[in-house]
Amino acid sequence: MKIIITERQYNKVIVLRRINEIMHEALLMIRDDGAFYGDVNFCYHYPTFEGFMEDMVEEIIRNYEYFNNFDISDFIYDEVGFENFINILIDVHGDEIREFYNSKTEDC
């Protein structure tokens, strides 16, 4: 049995697949904080959660492009939208990210 989909449906599937891959990068960053945030003074560099999220997205872009050879910055900025991507990231992994951030800033 063959299933025929439109180009728009195909593009939507590709976007969803890319977003899922990118979301995984965020979890890797907070689970292995020694590689990404080991000696960083969160109180100084990330006094707000919003600032941390913006930097996290930039780090995701750098990391994902390095390992996957895909221009994810155009995808995030042009296709999804930077603020929308942050909102999606918070919707999907917000609890883990906020817990990580709170543990790093508890002494501030």
Side-chain angles (χ1 to χ4, degrees):
M1 180 169 123
K2 287 186 178 183
I3 298 174
I4 299 173
I5 62 173
T6 66
E7 183 177 352
R8 182 179 171 146
Q9 291 169 324
Y10 175 76
N11 290 338
K12 186 174 181 177
V13 169
I14 296 299
V15 167
L16 292 174
R17 192 181 108 233
R18 290 277 183 214
I19 287 178
N20 286 331
E21 289 176 0
I22 298 164
M23 294 297 140
H24 185 69
E25 290 291 325
L27 285 181
L28 292 175
M29 290 171 62
I30 61 174
R31 288 183 181 157
D32 187 16
D33 68 295
F36 291 96
Y37 300 110
D39 296 331
V40 172
N41 181 346
F42 271 65
C43 299
Y44 177 77
H45 291 287
Y46 309 117
T48 65
F49 182 71
E50 292 78 18
F52 172 67
M53 289 303 299
E54 290 172 4
D55 185 74
M56 178 180 252
V57 172
E58 293 298 328
E59 188 63 40
I60 288 170
I61 290 170
R62 283 189 293 275
N63 200 35
Y64 192 86
E65 286 178 350
Y66 179 78
F67 288 108
N68 294 291
N69 198 21
F70 176 74
D71 191 5
I72 201 70
S73 60
D74 286 345
F75 176 73
I76 288 176
Y77 283 102
D78 298 336
E79 299 291 323
V80 178
F82 190 77
E83 292 297 322
N84 286 338
F85 183 77
I86 289 175
N87 291 335
I88 294 169
L89 191 57
I90 290 172
D91 287 345
V92 174
H93 298 299
D95 293 338
E96 296 97 328
I97 294 170
R98 187 161 297 279
E99 182 179 319
F100 173 77
Y101 179 79
N102 288 341
S103 72
K104 293 292 191 176
T105 58
E106 65 187 0
D107 295 333
C108 296

